[in-house]
């Protein structure tokens, strides 16, 4: 077919007769090229013939040839000697077809790998580029610009030409009549700036900047957006150069310009303006402060012109910048508000005064009705806090503490993270903060861990305040500590946490606290240490608390040295970046960074930071395996409880319950009880078996005689496999466990006999029954009613021996079966075998058997020679072999 | 006419502030129906205004007649009759009123249905705006208008000198006070008018309640705002962005925490927030509640920023009275807290400046404001923005000069030539392209120049002016082009020795000239001298683009060849006896160019 079409295409192209026929053959070509099943050779052949056709009809009607040319842009890597001259010819034609040739070029550059850009260089030269740029076709100009700005593997297409020519071209096209061209040209200039092409030449840079600044008032909003980016980028380069004497004035002017654009009527432009404002550096403080106040500072009437305007003529007076950020945070669109908030934080790094004023504005933003803005504000606050620019005053606290009661969990979380870093001004504020946290804990007990951590840091940062608070509290509780004290109250818990926080750096203060409080804290040690994990070594803390509470530490044999607590800091646990106090850029703001951030702070302050969990985990191990068994038992119970529903064929409900069980198992297994995978694996097999049983029951009514076999049989096969695995993969199963599994196996056989009589099945049944009998040593008292009845039916069947006429009492048996609770003892291991077949063609296969989880290393690994598809008896295991 | 039609009837919901406007609307309507059957004009209004106006007018009529006992100036039928003549106008909808007048409405914020009107008569354009707001509210957006070429902007200037700080400070303070009050179990009374402020505050509180998980009930007194809320819900496209965004999932005016109010709740225990009319506690329900709640110090009353003298609101604002006498027999003990909260929907001075700066009209007229403040603002507009500004008094006539524009046609080719940057010429400057850097500077100069389009204005028999391109002119006039070439002849002195040495060294050309004597060689130097010249030029100014040819030399548009005129007749110039003279003429495009070649 492919070949046929290809031949037809070549024939048609050779006999070119007008547009209609060409379009028809081109549609063939298109389908051949774009069909994913076409071979590469075919595609190349198609493109070959297209090139030949175009070459032959160069002087034809370009409007028709376009259709053929555009097909060449299909991403197929190929090379044809006459392609480049052909493209050159069309590019130089001065017709609309040049646009299509450019599309082909773009495609070649993109798909040609490393050499793609070089190919463009062979086709285009400066003269051609200039002539294309002055064509009257908009699409040609547009595509030329997109080609120039194209970068493949770090090489830009424009670098093929002299930068002077490219810049001149872009500057010229930035004045184009069409907004799309203007935008593309400005974007191109921004790319040049980004690549550092303009960094060396001040006059050129100035040209670009002037063009960008002029276009800030363009009619088209997207052009304005692009020029904001260009101006911002130019500002960055100016700032980086620093050689110019008037660089500061220039940057001030750029800032003022961007501020005035921030009042634009278009939302996109405003967002871009605020984003750009955040990127500007080296702005003088007076201009920065002006952007926060609507009232023009200095001379009344707002006629004040920027200082030192000798070298650059300022078109913009300072009043244009007035209150830009106030407008930003009052904006109707939350996107603008969020961008303004972010920029406030970025600029706060440069000036203390500005940071203070910005904080006032940011506090208002905490009241915003959009969650995104509130989050952004908190992130900004956090950013300021990490740069040590966040100084809360009393008036701010009401707003800020209000956030702790916020509806959104995200907001509450970040608010607490900010709280960890701030410095509170007065004792009253400190008290109200702790009080709010208590309220917080009452309202959201599930966030205890985080709240504890917050209290810990608040206490640590404000030792004196905390000590005062604890003292007052100590007076209250010590007399009544005879047993009245309820440790459950959130207030007490937090105060104890506060006490613990005092253990750090405030040794003097600690001595004044009655030891009774520390002994109270020990009672909460579990909760405290859990929330402080990763910050403090638990053992050291416990020992220290024992030490302080004057209780001889008989429980643990840890010996405490006072310095040890502080020396536990894990070297290298925090990246160097954080140590140097370098703030994270706003774009990479993972919440998880926060903890690292705090660790870094700890390093600075010299407090211990330890993140080892290994030792406590080992201690936990013993108790946890019991815990695990218990939870697995519970899960198995839940699975078994679905049996009545299975019988009633509520398959969907059962499956829902079972998948919940499965999820629970996953959670249990992910909790890291590494050693006891066997129980989890066994339980998941068991749940699967029940699942398959449910499926079987769901399919039973479908099955009439001989019909509906396939799907039921498939399910039963799966069930059999699953049961076999349970039986053989877990050596060490107890009697009851094995019996249970055997009964299930028998059940699956019985189901197979549903409507069909099969000797093979009967035999298998008998085998299972004898296994059961063997298991219980012949004493039938232990056998269930189902098993007894089954035994009877089997013996009867064997006696009558007339298989066709003998009706096996399937219905009665199924009715008798009752799924008992699984007698889970969990004293087994899990053995898994992986078989690898080597040498498939030699008739025999070398099988490499790897056994996991077994101490019996003496037969691992071994090589067996077996015929394909056979059973391998292997100790107590039966291995099903498969060839790969 | 249109100017008057833009009065926003809704503003009368705050009658004391906007009484003047209200009067304007009434008089306008009055005029309409006094005209009776002969409808001579229609007036345009925005949809919300049209929807709400009849309600407001009827309300006002009742107040006039029933409360003040004035003579009934118009009846309900008049209002209905008047409203029939109103045509509603949508935002950014352009309406051609007649063949000259075109109007278009832009969003103005302020109140539901407020608009700025752009009007165009012939070529003259203006924007008239009544009250507007440049900063968005919670329930209304900021004014929005595009850049227009305007001859005149007429704007209100209520706050000509005031610069307001962020409204967030006031909001935060308000929420703090309210939260404090209810957390102590107090009741909050918010006297308010039906439209605007009530919605604004309620949105604020509803959102705060939601965020803080507060369960204290918020009540709207019966009758208040129910109808108004309905209109808000219907006219969602005139509200703020946030309300528009959430509209699809939940109408923000379906307040979550607002419960219906019953009279029995007034004395029910426990905290609550109540919105009640009228806004200045001048009577009605808000007074009734005030009487009950004022004596308790845990309660709170929040007053609007402005209250008319004589109302209780005004008394509460001017100092903190402990006792208010309603009449001879009734007194109210005031122990509750008073909080004042002003939300003005007018723009401030910065907003006015921003709008004027954005629109950059030729002239500005300020209306609606206090005279001295307007004069200050006028001064600022003239000095800072350089725009002619007027603040006319009542009945004063202002003449605004407008620019006359003449329309001309242009050919397609001309428009294209304007739109396309031609990079050919600028990239091939005339002289000596030896250094790429030098070229770059040259290029920038070409780009930086202000873009000009060259064309020829022609006017044919149809008397219609048309701009054509230079090359189109010939075609249009049907004449042929005559070119004039200028040549400059100058003597070039060539060292004789150099010439001979060159001849000896060179090939076939030399063989031809060897036969002649040296004098003859000087008489007809032709190609040989050109060659020498070529060589010299190349060596001295390192000119790479010079193209050599047996008959002439070419450098871009300049051609150099030897002149047929005999120079031998000229006397030798001082000290040049040994040198031959060679006459060279230079032809360059349309220009005369001098070339100095010294030995």
């Amino acid at each position: 077919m492919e070949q046929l079409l290809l031949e037809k295409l070549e024939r048609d192209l050779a006999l070119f007769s007008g547009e209609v026929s060409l379009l028809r053959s081109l549609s063939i070509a298109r389908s051949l090229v774009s069909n994913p099943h076409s071979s590469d050779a075919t595609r190349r052949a198609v493109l070959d013939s297209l090139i030949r056709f175009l070459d032959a009809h160069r002087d034809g009607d370009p409007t028709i040839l376009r259709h053929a040319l555009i097909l060449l842009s299909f991403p197929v890597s190929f090379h044809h000697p006459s392609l480049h001259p052909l493209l050159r010819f069309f590019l130089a034609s001065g017709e609309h077809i040049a646009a299509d040739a450019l599309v082909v070029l773009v495609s070649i550059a993109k798909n040609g790998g490393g050499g793609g850009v070089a190919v463009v260089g062979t086709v285009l030269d400066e003269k051609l580029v200039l002539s294309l740029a002055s064509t009257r076709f908009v699409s040609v100009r547009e595509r030329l610009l997109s080609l120039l700005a194209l970068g493949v593997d770090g090489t830009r297409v424009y670098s093929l030409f002299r930068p002077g020519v490219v810049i001149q071209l872009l500057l010229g096209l930035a004045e184009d009549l069409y907004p799309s061209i203007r935008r593309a040209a400005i974007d191109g200039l921004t790319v040049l700036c980004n690549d550092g092409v303009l960094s060396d030449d001040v006059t050129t840079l100035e040209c670009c900047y002037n063009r960008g600044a002029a276009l800030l008032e363009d009619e088209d909003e997207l052009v304005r957006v692009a020029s904001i980016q260009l101006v911002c980028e130019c500002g960055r380069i100016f700032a980086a150069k620093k050689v110019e004497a008037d660089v500061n004035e220039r940057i001030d002017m750029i800032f003022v310009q961007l501020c005035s654009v921030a009042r634009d009527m278009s939302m996109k432009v405003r967002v871009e303006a605020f984003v750009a404002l955040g990127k500007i550096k080296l702005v003088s403080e007076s201009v920065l402060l002006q952007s926060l106040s609507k009232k023009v500072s200095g001379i009344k009437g707002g006629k004040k012109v920027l200082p030192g305007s000798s070298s650059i003529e300022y078109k913009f007076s300072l009043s244009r910048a007035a209150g830009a950020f106030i407008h930003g945070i009052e904006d109707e669109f939350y996107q603008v508000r969020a961008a303004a908030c972010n920029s406030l934080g970025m600029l706060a790094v440069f000036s203390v005064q500005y940071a203070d004023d910005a904080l006032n504005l940011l506090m208002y933003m905490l009241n915003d009705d959009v969650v995104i803005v509130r989050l952004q504000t908190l992130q900004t606050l956090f950013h300021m806090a990490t740069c040590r620019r966040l100084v809360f005053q009393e008036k701010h606290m009401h707003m800020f503490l209000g956030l702790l009661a916020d509806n959104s969990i995200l907001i509450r979380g970040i608010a607490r993270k900010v709280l960890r870093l701030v410095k509170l001004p007065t004792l009253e504020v400190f008290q109200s903060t702790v009080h709010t946290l208590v309220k917080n804990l009452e309202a959201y007990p599930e966030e205890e861990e985080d709240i504890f951590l917050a209290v810990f840091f608040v206490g640590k940062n404000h030792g004196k305040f905390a000590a005062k608070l604890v003292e007052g509290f100590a007076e209250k509780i010590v007399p009544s500590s005879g047993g009245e004290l309820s440790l459950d109250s959130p207030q007490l818990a937090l105060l104890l946490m506060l006490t613990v926080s005092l253990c750090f750096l405030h040794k003097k203060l600690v001595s004044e606290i009655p030891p009774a409080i520390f002994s109270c804290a020990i009672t909460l040690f579990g909760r405290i240490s859990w929330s402080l994990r990763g910050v403090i070594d638990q053992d050291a803390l416990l020992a220290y608390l024992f030490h302080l509470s004057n209780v001889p530490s008989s429980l643990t044999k840890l010996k405490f040295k006072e310095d040890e607590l502080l020396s536990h800091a894990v070297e290298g646990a925090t990246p160097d970046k954080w140590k140097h106090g370098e703030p994270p850029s706003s774009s990479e703001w993972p919440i998880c960074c926060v903890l690292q951030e705090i660790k870094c702070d700890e390093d600075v302050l010299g407090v211990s930071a330890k993140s080892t969990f290994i030792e406590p985990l080992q201690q936990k191990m013993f108790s946890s395996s019991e815990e695990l068994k218990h939870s697995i038992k519970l899960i198995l119970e839940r699975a078994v409880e679905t049996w009545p529903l299975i019988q009633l064929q509520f398959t969907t409900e059962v499956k829902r319950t079972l998948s919940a069980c499965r999820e629970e198992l996953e959670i249990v297994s992910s909790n890291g009880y590494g050693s006891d995978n066997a129980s989890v694996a066994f339980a998941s097999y068991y749940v699967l078996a029940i699942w398959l049983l449910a499926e079987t029951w769901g399919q039973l009514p479908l099955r009439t005689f001989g019909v509906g076999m396939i799907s039921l049989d498939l399910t039963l096969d799966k069930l059999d496999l699953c049961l076999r695995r349970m039986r053989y993969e877990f050596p060490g199963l107890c009697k009851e466990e094995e019996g249970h599994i055997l009964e299930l196996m028998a059940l699956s056989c019985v189901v197979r006999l549903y409507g069909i009589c099969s000797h093979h099945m009967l035999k298998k049944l008998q085998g299972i029954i004898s296994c059961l009998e063997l298991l219980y040593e012949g004493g039938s008292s232990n056998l269930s009613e189902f098993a007894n009845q089954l035994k009877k039916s089997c013996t009867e069947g064997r006696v009558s021996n007339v298989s066709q006429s003998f009706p096996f009492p399937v219905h009665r048996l199924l009715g008798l079966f009752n799924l008992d609770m699984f007698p889970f003892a969990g004293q087994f291991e899990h053995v898994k075998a992986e078989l690898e077949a080597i040498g498939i063609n030699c008739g025999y296969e070398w099988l490499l058997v790897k056994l996991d989880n077994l101490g019996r290393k003496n037969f691992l690994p071994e090589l067996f020679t077996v015929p394909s598809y056979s059973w391998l008896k292997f100790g107590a295991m039966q291995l099903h072999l498969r060839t790969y | 006419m249109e100017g008057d039609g833009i009065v926003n009837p809704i503003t009368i919901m705050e009658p004391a502030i906007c009484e003047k406007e209200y009067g304007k609307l009434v008089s306008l309507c009055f005029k309409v129906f006094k005209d009776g059957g002969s409808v001579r004009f229609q007036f345009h209004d925005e949809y919300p205004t049209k929807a709400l106006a009849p309600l407001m007018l009827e309300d006002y009529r009742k107040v006039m007649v029933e409360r003040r006992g004035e003579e009934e100036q118009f009846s309900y039928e008049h209002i209905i009759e008047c409203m029939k003549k109103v045509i509603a106008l949508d935002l950014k909808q352009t309406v051609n009123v007649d063949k000259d007048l075109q109007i278009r409405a832009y969003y103005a914020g302020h109140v539901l249905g407020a608009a700025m009107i752009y009007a165009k008569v012939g070529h003259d354009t203006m924007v008239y705006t009544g009250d507007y707001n440049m900063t968005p509210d919670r329930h209304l957006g900021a004014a929005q208008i595009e850049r227009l070429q305007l001859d005149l902007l007429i704007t209100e200037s209520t706050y000509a000198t005031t610069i307001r700080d962020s409204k967030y400070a006031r909001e935060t303070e308000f929420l703090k006070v309210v939260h404090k009050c209810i957390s102590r179990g107090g009741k909050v009374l918010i006297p308010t008018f039906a439209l605007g402020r009530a919605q604004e505050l309620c949105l604020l509180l509803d959102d705060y309640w939601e965020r803080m998980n507060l369960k204290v009930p918020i009540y709207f007194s019966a009758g208040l705002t129910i109808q108004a809320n309905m209109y808000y819900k219907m006219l969602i496209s005139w509200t703020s962005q946030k309300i528009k965004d959430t509209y699809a999932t939940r109408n923000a005016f379906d307040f979550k925490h607002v419960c219906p109010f019953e009279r029995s709740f007034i004395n029910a225990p426990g905290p609550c927030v109540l919105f009640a009319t009228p806004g200045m506690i001048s009577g009605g329900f808000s007074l009734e509640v005030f009487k009950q709640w004022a004596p308790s110090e845990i309660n709170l009353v929040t007053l609007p920023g402005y209250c008319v003298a004589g109302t209780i609101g005004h008394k509460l604002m001017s100092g903190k009275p402990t006792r208010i006498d309603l009449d001879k027999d009734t007194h109210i003990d005031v122990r509750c807290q008073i909080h004042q909260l002003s939300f003005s929907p007018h723009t401030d001075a910065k907003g006015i400046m921003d709008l004027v700066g954005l629109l950059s009209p030729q002239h500005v007229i300020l209306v609606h404001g206090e005279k001295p403040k307007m004069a200050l603002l006028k001064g600022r507009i003239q000095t800072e923005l350089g725009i002619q500004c007027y603040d006319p008094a009542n009945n004063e006539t202002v003449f605004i000069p407008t620019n006359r524009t003449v329309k001309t046609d242009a050919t397609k080719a001309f428009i294209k030539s304007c739109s396309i940057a031609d990079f050919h010429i600028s990239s091939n400057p005339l002289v000596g392209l030896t250094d790429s850097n030098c070229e770059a500077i040259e290029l920038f100069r070409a780009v930086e120049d202000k873009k000009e389009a060259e064309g020829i204005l022609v006017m044919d028999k149809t008397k219609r002016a048309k701009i054509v391109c230079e090359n189109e002119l010939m075609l249009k006039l049907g004449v042929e082009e005559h070119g004039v070439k200028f040549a400059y002849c100058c003597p070039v002195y060539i060292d004789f020795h150099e010439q001979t040495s060159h001849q000896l060294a060179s090939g076939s050309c030399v063989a031809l000239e060897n036969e002649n004597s040296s004098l003859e060689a000087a008489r007809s130097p032709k190609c040989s001298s050109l060659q020498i010249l070529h060589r010299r030029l190349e060596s001295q100014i390192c000119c790479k683009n010079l193209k050599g040819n047996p008959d002439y030399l070419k450098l871009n548009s300049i051609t150099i060849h030897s002149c047929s005129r005999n120079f031998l007749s000229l006397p030798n110039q001082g000290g040049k006896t040994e040198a031959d003279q060679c006459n060279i003429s230079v032809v360059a495009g349309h220009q005369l160019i001098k070339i100095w070649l010294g030995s």
Side-chain angles (χ1 to χ4, degrees), chain A residues 134 136 162 168 207 263 265 294 301 322 327 329-330 332-333 364 367 369 374 398-399 402 407 444, chain B residues 136 142 144-145 164 166-169 175 207 210-213 241 350 354 384 420-421 423 439 443:
Chain A
S134 38
R136 62 199 171 94
R162 278 179 298 167
Q168 127 98 52
C207 272
R263 281 296 270 159
M265 279 289 168
K294 274 167 118 179
H327 291 304
I329 63 164
E330 280 184 347
E332 199 175 338
F333 292 86
Y364 301 143
N367 215 3
D369 45 11
R374 293 206 296 278
H398 174 261
M399 271 317 300
N407 217 3
Y444 305 100
Chain B
Q144 197 162 26
I145 193 162
R164 270 201 304 267
S166 172
K167 63 170 181 168
Y168 286 135
L175 289 175
D207 186 60
E210 177 73 26
R211 273 193 287 124
M212 293 297 169
N213 272 330
Q241 190 59 38
K350 173 123 192 341
D354 282 344
E384 278 180 46
I420 300 160
F423 294 100
E439 178 196 23
L443 293 174

Side-chain angles (χ1 to χ4, degrees), chain A residues 130-131 133-136 141 162 164-165 167-169 171-173 175-177 204 207 211 216-218 224 263-265 294-295 301-303 319 322 326-327 329-334 337 361 364-370 374 395 398-399 402-403 405-407 444, chain B residues 134-136 138 140-145 147 163-169 171-172 175-176 179 204 207-208 210-213 239-242 244-245 348 350-351 354-355 358 380 383-384 415-416 419-424 426-427 436 439-440 443-444 447-448 451:
Chain A
L130 288 175
S131 81
S134 38
T135 166
R136 62 199 171 94
R141 297 204 294 273
R162 278 179 298 167
V165 174
I167 292 165
Q168 127 98 52
L169 190 143
L171 285 173
L173 286 181
E175 280 191 327
D176 201 277
L177 206 61
T204 321
C207 272
R211 184 54 44 83
L216 284 177
E217 296 185 7
D218 197 90
R224 294 204 292 273
R263 281 296 270 159
D264 200 279
M265 279 289 168
K294 274 167 118 179
K295 295 191 176 73
K303 271 168 70 183
S319 69
I326 291 192
H327 291 304
I329 63 164
E330 280 184 347
D331 202 278
E332 199 175 338
F333 292 86
Y334 75 88
R337 295 200 295 271
L361 293 185
Y364 301 143
M365 298 312 289
L366 295 178
N367 215 3
D368 201 276
D369 45 11
V370 181
R374 293 206 296 278
K395 61 178 178 183
H398 174 261
M399 271 317 300
L403 279 185
D406 199 281
N407 217 3
Y444 305 100
Chain B
M134 292 293 278
T135 46
R138 273 176 194 256
L140 294 173
Q144 197 162 26
I145 193 162
R147 285 154 204 261
I163 292 178
R164 270 201 304 267
D165 269 333
S166 172
K167 63 170 181 168
Y168 286 135
E171 278 185 15
T172 312
L175 289 175
K176 194 173 163 184
H179 194 164
L204 180 65
D207 186 60
Y208 189 72
E210 177 73 26
R211 273 193 287 124
M212 293 297 169
N213 272 330
T239 55
S240 75
Q241 190 59 38
K242 194 236 162 182
K244 277 187 237 169
D245 285 346
D348 62 355
K350 173 123 192 341
D354 282 344
L355 183 77
L358 176 90
R380 273 189 71 191
T383 51
E384 278 180 46
I415 293 170
K416 268 174 197 158
S419 63
I420 300 160
D422 191 356
F423 294 100
H424 289 287
S426 49
S427 61
S436 65
E439 178 196 23
L443 293 174
F444 288 131
V447 168
E448 267 180 66
K451 225 173 157 187

Side-chain angles (χ1 to χ4, degrees), chain A residues 674-728:
Chain A
S675 68
D676 214 355
N677 272 333
S679 309
V680 178
F682 185 83
S684 59
Y685 277 140
Y686 191 79
V687 172
L688 178 66
I690 306 281
W691 172 291
L692 291 166
L693 263 184
E695 211 161 281
T696 316
W697 250 254
Q699 288 164 343
L700 271 184
L702 297 173
R703 178 157 174 161
T704 50
F705 285 88
V707 188
M709 274 186 64
I710 309 287
S711 63
L712 182 61
D713 282 8
L714 279 176
T715 317
L716 286 171
D717 280 346
K718 279 188 209 161
L719 180 62
D720 272 343
L721 183 67
C722 179
L723 290 170
R724 263 209 311 276
R725 279 190 172 152
M726 279 163 74
R727 195 173 165 208
Y728 297 119

